């Protein structure tokens, strides 16, 4: 597959912290409302004092969200979101089943999904021919939500690029639980954009975003008490496995002049091209019964 258009690493890094508008930066057919509900106020703030990557190790097992942050998280949640998440909330297994079924390639996608797939397809193609920037992944967030996550994240998840020193223990990205069905995804501009070639950075930002959206879905959709109980490392029911090497995965490509893909083929193209594999299958397998 041909590489995406070359971009200087430092330029990409600097652009990650610029304000994002529909009529500037990387062209993508999103609305200002979509940008606003996916964390517009978060991205405009300069405070980097709270790293929202989840704790790890013993602290994570005893206190998954870090109770010392609760008052600060509540203040941020009230600032960044203009409406509450009223649910309904479900059990972890049911939420995992929803995403598993939604991403079944045999399912006929809705008209909204088909249009979102077309926009994502065009954006990836354009990046191989002309300018692209880190704002693209923010602008495409609502379409990724529509295609992969039933459209349930918008309005409840804010997304932003952050420098490494504001990432806490997260590396490429992290997802912070803001409680009450709200979540925040942060992507590391340092690790994704500055420490890799632009071609690798382009692929990494998509795969990292999808990985973190899996975690965000659990925080947005699952009953809070059950999410806290299930959240161990990558959880029993939620998690992703990045398949980034050729021996693990064949990256799909779309040869020039090929007839248009079906919706299922395009969705499979994204799953493979973005180098991510959703590992929800164990969540929907029925427990074996002993006779």
């Amino acid at each position: 597959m041909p590489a995406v258009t070359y971009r200087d690493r430092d330029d990409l890094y600097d652009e990650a912290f610029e304000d994002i508008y529909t009529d500037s930066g990387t062209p993508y057919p999103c609305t200002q409302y979509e940008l606003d509900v996916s964390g517009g106020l978060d991205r405009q703030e300069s405070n980097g004092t709270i790293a929202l990557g989840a704790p790890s190790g013993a602290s994570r097992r005893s206190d998954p969200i870090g109770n010392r942050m609760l008052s600060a998280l509540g203040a941020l949640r009230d600032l960044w979101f203009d409406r509450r998440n009223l649910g309904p909330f479900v059990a972890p297994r049911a939420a995992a089943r929803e995403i598993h079924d939604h991403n079944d390639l045999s399912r006929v996608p809705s008209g909204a999904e088909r249009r979102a797939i077309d926009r994502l397809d065009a954006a990836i193609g354009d990046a191989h021919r002309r300018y692209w920037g880190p704002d693209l992944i923010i602008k495409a967030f609502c379409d990724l939500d529509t295609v992969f996550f039933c459209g349930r994240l918008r309005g409840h998840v804010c997304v932003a690029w952050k420098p490494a020193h504001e990432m806490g223990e997260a590396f490429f990205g992290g997802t912070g639980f803001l409680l009450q069905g709200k979540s925040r995804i942060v992507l590391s501009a340092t690790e994704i954009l500055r420490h890799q070639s632009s071609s690798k950075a382009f692929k990494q930002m998509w795969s990292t975003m999808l990985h973190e959206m899996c975690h965000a879905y659990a925080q947005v959709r699952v009953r809070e008490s059950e999410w806290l109980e299930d959240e161990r490392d990558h959880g029993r029911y939620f998690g992703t496995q990045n398949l980034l090497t050729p021996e693990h995965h064949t990256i799909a490509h779309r040869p020039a002049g090929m007839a248009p893909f079906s919706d299922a083929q395009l969705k499979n193209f994204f799953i493979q091209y973005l180098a991510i594999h959703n590992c929800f299958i164990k969540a929907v397998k029925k427990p074996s019964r002993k006779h």
Side-chain angles (χ1 to χ4, degrees):
M1 170 176 287
V4 296
T5 301
Y6 170 81
R7 296 296 317 281
D8 180 79
R9 300 182 190 196
D10 289 337
D11 288 345
L12 286 173
Y13 179 84
D14 292 340
E15 290 171 14
F17 310 116
E18 295 177 355
D19 291 338
I20 301 175
Y21 301 102
T22 57
D23 57 356
S24 62
T26 311
Y28 194 86
C30 63
T31 66
Q32 190 59 48
Y33 173 76
E34 289 174 327
L35 293 178
D36 292 343
V37 300
S38 62
L41 290 176
D42 175 18
R43 292 190 295 271
Q44 292 172 15
E45 291 184 345
S46 58
N47 74 55
T49 57
I50 300 178
L52 293 181
S56 61
S59 64
R60 182 170 189 158
R61 289 189 292 272
S62 61
D63 189 5
I65 59 172
N67 281 324
R68 68 184 184 277
M69 292 184 177
L70 290 183
S71 60
L73 295 183
L76 293 177
R77 184 182 62 243
D78 294 341
L79 174 65
W80 291 337
F81 300 101
D82 62 359
R83 61 188 176 94
R84 297 176 60 193
N85 183 354
L86 300 177
F89 300 103
V90 300
R93 184 186 179 102
R97 181 60 185 259
E98 289 173 347
I99 298 304
H100 177 272
D101 292 349
H102 183 76
N103 287 282
D104 184 342
L105 296 181
S106 66
R107 182 183 63 83
V108 178
S110 67
E113 289 173 68
R114 288 195 295 268
R115 291 187 291 273
I117 288 171
D118 288 342
R119 288 189 292 267
L120 291 166
D121 184 37
I124 290 177
D126 287 346
H128 289 77
R129 296 186 291 270
R130 57 178 71 96
Y131 167 93
W132 64 275
D135 60 332
L136 174 58
I137 195 65
I138 307 294
K139 291 179 175 180
F141 176 82
C142 286
D143 278 344
L144 290 173
D145 179 29
T146 296
V147 173
F148 293 102
F149 299 95
C150 312
R152 290 198 173 100
L153 300 184
R154 70 191 64 200
H156 304 306
V157 178
C158 55
V159 293
W161 288 98
K162 296 293 178 183
H165 68 272
E166 294 182 19
M167 294 293 295
E169 297 181 2
F171 190 65
F172 287 126
T175 303
F177 190 25
L178 300 178
L179 303 179
Q180 297 182 15
K182 299 292 186 178
S183 181
R184 183 199 197 197
I185 293 173
V186 288
L187 304 179
S188 174
T190 307
E191 299 300 335
I192 294 177
L193 303 175
R194 179 169 269 177
H195 290 173
Q196 303 187 94
S197 67
S198 58
S199 181
K200 290 181 178 179
F202 182 80
K203 194 172 294 184
Q204 186 70 60
M205 74 177 184
W206 293 92
S207 63
T208 301
M209 177 64 86
L210 283 172
H211 180 108
E212 300 306 332
M213 289 173 79
C214 292
H215 293 299
Y217 190 87
Q219 296 170 5
V220 166
R221 184 65 169 148
V222 174
R223 286 187 286 266
E224 190 167 298
S225 61
E226 294 184 68
W227 178 84
L228 294 174
E229 181 181 349
D230 181 60
E231 181 61 11
R232 299 292 184 270
D233 295 324
H234 282 75
R236 178 183 178 188
Y237 294 116
F238 280 84
T240 56
Q241 175 184 2
N242 287 314
L243 303 175
L244 298 177
T245 56
E247 59 267 25
H248 287 119
H249 210 293
T250 301
I251 303 302
H253 65 284
R254 190 174 184 180
M258 184 173 181
F261 281 178
S262 68
D263 295 311
Q265 287 174 316
L266 271 177
K267 189 159 186 175
N268 190 48
F269 165 77
F270 287 120
I271 291 173
Q272 296 185 68
Y273 176 78
L274 303 180
I276 195 164
H277 176 68
N278 295 326
C279 298
F280 296 125
I281 189 66
K282 64 181 179 182
V284 299
K285 286 183 177 179
K286 294 182 179 179
S288 59
R289 296 182 179 178
K290 294 183 179 180
H291 298 284

